[in-house]
């Protein structure tokens, strides 16, 4: 896989929220491909972030696609609001709804791309029947809720199995990604990397993004 097929989605969770507009501009200038927005409700995960009004306000200041990762209970009650706020892709946790197939279809019917996410403990069989319909599969490589956690290495064979399952579909990995882990997940078959603390703690966002995009085992 060549470097230009790897896409980087910086997670705003680790940015300076008091300067949200400037941070988005900086990662855009640094070569990000999309912007990862982590939506947490204090129920599905033990943390709270932001909702549709904040997404709508950053949409107005951002030309990159908004990659919106919903970590919320009863996502069916909120997807329309997130689409109207400007999400380009809405990714739902398979564990968060009784009828993932119905919700994926509904998001797509609203004119938005739809992705499905699996927690580290969720087997890939649970999304097999969705593989042909989703626009992206996201493998969580930490337990969702917080930035700055360590990559769970047991996710590598799972990423490979999901790549075999989904063909050319986008395969995103989220949690604990740095330039070393990036080489491992790319070798396993990932082509979209989320990174929060690695990028926002780096002295150069551009260098961090470049190192992630070009990370390979030699
Ligand atoms: C965690 C979030 C991630 C998080 C990743 O629940 O879904 O997107 O921001 O942060 P890092 O890259 O610091 O592990
Ligand atoms: Zn995320």
């Amino acid at each position: 896989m060549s470097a230009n097929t790897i896409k980087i989605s910086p997670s705003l969770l680790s940015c300076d929220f008091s300067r949200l507009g400037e941070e988005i501009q900086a990662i855009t200038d640094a070569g990000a491909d999309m912007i990862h927005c982590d939506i947490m409700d204090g129920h599905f995960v033990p943390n709270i972030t932001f909702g549709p009004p904040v997404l709508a306000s950053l949409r107005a200041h951002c030309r990159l696609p908004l990659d919106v990762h919903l970590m919320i209970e009863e996502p069916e009650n909120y997807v329309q609001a997130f689409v109207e706020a400007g999400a380009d892709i809405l990714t739902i946790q398979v564990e968060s709804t009784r009828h993932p197939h119905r919700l994926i279809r509904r998001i797509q019917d609203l004119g938005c791309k739809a992705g499905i996410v699996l927690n580290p403990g969720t087997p890939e069989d649970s999304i097999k029947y969705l593989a042909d319909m989703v626009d992206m599969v996201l493998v969580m490589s930490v337990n969702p809720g917080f930035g700055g956690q360590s990559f769970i290495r047991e996710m590598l064979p799972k990423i490979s199995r999901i790549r075999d399952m989904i063909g050319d579909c986008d395969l995103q990995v989220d949690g604990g990604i740095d330039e070393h882990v990036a080489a491992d997940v790319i070798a396993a078959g990932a082509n979209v990397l989320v990174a929060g603390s690695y990028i926002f703690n780096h002295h150069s966002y551009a260098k961090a993004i470049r190192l992630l995009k070009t990370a390979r085992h030699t």
Side-chain angles (χ1 to χ4, degrees):
M1 212 177 257
S2 69
N4 61 13
T5 64
I6 303 299
K7 292 178 266 191
I8 306 299
S9 191
S11 164
L12 295 179
L13 196 59
S14 294
C15 82
D16 178 351
F17 273 90
S18 71
R19 299 169 40 250
L20 191 51
E22 290 167 46
E23 291 278 62
I24 288 171
Q25 189 60 53
I27 50 174
T28 302
D29 295 343
D33 297 285
M34 56 189 98
I35 310 274
H36 189 81
C37 304
D38 287 300
I39 310 298
M40 305 183 182
D41 66 349
H43 293 279
F44 185 76
V45 289
N47 199 359
I48 300 174
T49 56
F50 55 89
V54 172
L55 192 75
S57 69
L58 62 89
R59 167 78 289 167
H61 295 281
C62 177
R63 61 181 161 80
L64 294 180
L66 295 176
D67 160 33
V68 179
H69 176 190
L70 293 186
M71 286 161 277
I72 61 176
E73 299 285 356
E74 301 183 346
E76 44 284 335
N77 294 340
Y78 302 96
V79 292
Q80 184 164 352
F82 281 104
V83 172
E84 288 172 358
D88 293 280
I89 180 161
L90 266 187
T91 306
I92 56 158
Q93 296 267 166
V94 69
E95 308 86 357
S96 70
T97 179
R98 285 205 178 89
H99 308 295
H101 183 281
R102 175 181 289 155
L103 189 53
I104 294 284
R105 194 55 88 212
R106 183 151 159 247
I107 293 167
Q108 292 170 334
D109 286 347
L110 287 166
C112 189
K113 290 184 180 173
I116 192 80
V117 198
L118 308 88
N119 276 336
T122 304
E124 63 271 18
D125 279 357
S126 63
I127 61 146
K128 201 168 182 180
Y129 79 114
L130 302 169
D132 286 341
M133 71 186 295
V134 291
D135 298 289
M136 184 171 76
V137 175
L138 165 52
V139 175
M140 285 310 297
S141 46
V142 298
N143 296 297
F146 302 95
Q149 303 180 81
S150 297
F151 181 78
I152 301 172
R153 296 200 63 79
E154 287 73 14
M155 294 303 103
L156 288 170
K158 181 178 176 182
I159 294 165
S160 299
R161 291 193 298 271
I162 292 178
R163 172 50 78 203
D164 290 343
M165 182 195 291
I166 67 175
D168 288 342
C169 186
D170 278 341
L171 177 48
Q172 187 177 57
V173 180
D174 182 6
I177 305 273
D178 61 19
E179 81 258 33
H180 305 295
V181 171
D184 293 336
V185 299
I186 291 167
N191 70 310
V192 188
L193 310 187
V194 175
S197 52
Y198 175 74
I199 292 173
F200 286 102
N201 292 338
H202 203 286
H203 68 273
S204 163
Y205 297 171
K207 186 169 182 197
I209 289 172
R210 195 165 60 245
L211 285 168
L212 293 177
K213 275 196 189 195
T214 58
R216 297 294 185 278
H217 291 302
T218 47

